[in-house]
Amino acid sequence: MEIGIAADHGGYELKESIKNFLVSQGHHITDFGAYVLDSKDDYPDFVIPLAHAVVNKEVERGIAVCGSGVGASVAANKVAGVRAALINDHFSAHQGVEDDDLNLLCLGGRVTGNMAAQELVTAFLNAKFTGEERHLRRLGKVRALEG
Ligand code: RB5
């Protein structure tokens, strides 16, 4: 799968770990930065370009990491067409895709460990949107807010 990934300094180490894992699984990764650990960098500078790439279908799914995952999800959801969520549990990692068509997974580099992140990312990437009518109806109501 074509996957985009981004992180600020709070998520940099986890991003690198996830990237190595996904490459080992045969995925192709586009890294939107940060490319160095810089304690003064700002998550929107990396997450917003990733969010645009998801919407423009340059990548199939996105993964964004900041310290908590909160800032990344707040920023990503400002881009119309992005459905981002901070995920800390396995159920939400796949159900968010199945029901809500989640297309950008957010993680907290200061919250989630490397191995747990691998399980969350795997559940997210393996899940597919069901396309069921009730979910399409609900997402239509969300999309209506995007103008
Ligand atoms: C950076 O210190 C930190 O605020 C950021 O990575 C993130 O946790 C924001 O939500």
Side-chain angles (χ1 to χ4, degrees):
M1 192 182 280
E2 189 71 38
I3 300 160
I5 197 164
D8 72 350
H9 57 281
Y12 180 79
E13 288 177 12
L14 183 57
K15 171 175 77 73
E16 293 301 301
S17 169
I18 292 169
K19 192 167 66 173
N20 290 336
F21 169 66
L22 292 177
V23 167
S24 79
Q25 298 294 301
H27 296 287
H28 184 263
I29 310 301
T30 302
D31 188 345
F32 290 82
Y35 305 118
V36 292
L37 182 57
D38 173 2
S39 64
K40 294 189 173 57
D41 68 12
D42 301 326
Y43 57 81
D45 295 336
F46 313 107
V47 172
I48 298 296
L50 167 64
H52 285 298
V54 170
V55 172
N56 295 334
K57 303 207 180 303
E58 293 160 31
V59 295
E60 292 173 60
R61 301 262 175 99
I63 299 167
V65 193
C66 65
S68 64
V70 173
S73 59
V74 168
N77 278 311
K78 295 295 182 187
V79 176
V82 165
R83 292 172 298 278
L86 168 56
I87 298 293
N88 286 308
D89 68 279
H90 185 271
F91 172 74
S92 302
H94 63 84
Q95 196 251 16
V97 178
E98 292 156 359
D99 288 13
D100 310 312
D101 207 9
L102 182 72
N103 55 14
L104 202 158
L105 177 82
C106 300
L107 296 169
R110 295 170 178 157
V111 179
T112 301
N114 290 349
M115 299 312 290
Q118 289 183 13
E119 296 203 8
L120 298 178
V121 164
T122 300
F124 167 64
L125 296 176
N126 287 341
K128 291 187 174 36
F129 179 52
T130 63
E132 288 177 19
E133 192 280 331
R134 68 185 193 281
H135 299 313
L136 289 169
R137 183 179 71 241
R138 292 161 188 162
L139 286 169
K141 293 178 181 182
V142 173
R143 199 171 298 115
L145 297 170
E146 295 180 340

